[in-house]
Amino acid sequence: MSEALAAIATEVRECRACPLWRTAKQGVPGEGSAESGILFLGEAPGFNEDQQGRPFVGAAGQLLDELLAGIGLDRTKVFITNVVRHRPPENRDPLPAEIAACEVWTAKQLAALRPRVVVTLGRFAMGKWLPGESISRIHGKPRVVDGVTVFPMFHPAAALRSPSLRPAMVADFAALAIFIATGPAVAPEAPKPAAQMTLFGG
Ligand code: URA
């Protein structure tokens, strides 16, 4: 992990910006490669992640590992984190205020990683860039939003609950492998701030 990412991880573990730290055992900042250009963004730590302080180490993580292996990757070659970095009690859905409080870490990790592609796992991560979209409609299709290539996918936990989603996840990982092999090698240029555009755009 780069120095910047390690510093962010330390800050995440000490974060008190929302009340989730009170019921969680520890913060789960995320882990993986700083160089791969591939960021997986999930929902929130569950029981196992809270115990170990690492993302996706429970049943959903096992499926994620299998899907990564299916395209010749493993978790050390990508970076994995969540939109919420302390476990919500009883694994309930994260609240909008908790996602908003944790957004600062998502922004800092994005700035440190400058990923070629952000794979969003589930609707909470997708909602950061594509609010109001239906994951069933847009999964597996990359889109550039605000200078970030977003690759929406179902959450692996959804495929565990509904095995009929599994073939779609396998197909989306195959599409991701093609994107990685043939897509742009760098992150897209972020759009210029509006003020600058008026200044130079006439
Ligand atoms: N589900 C998530 O969204 N994130 C984890 O880290 C584990 C399970």
Side-chain angles (χ1 to χ4, degrees), residues 114-116 118 129 143-150 186-191:
R114 299 246 331 114
R116 287 172 66 196
V118 178
W129 291 280
R143 278 212 220 164
V144 179
V145 186
D146 295 337
V148 175
T149 301
V150 183
V186 292
E189 197 64 36

Side-chain angles (χ1 to χ4, degrees), residues 1 5 31-40 54 64-65 68-80 113 115-117 119 173 176 180:
M1 215 185 310
L5 288 165
E31 64 184 32
S33 162
E35 282 90 39
S36 70
I38 307 162
L39 171 63
F40 280 81
R54 301 181 56 209
L64 179 60
D65 284 341
L68 284 169
I71 57 167
L73 285 175
D74 67 63
R75 61 168 58 224
T76 66
K77 300 202 180 75
V78 301
F79 195 87
I80 306 178
L113 287 160
R116 287 172 66 196
V117 59
V119 181
F173 268 75
L176 175 65
I180 292 167

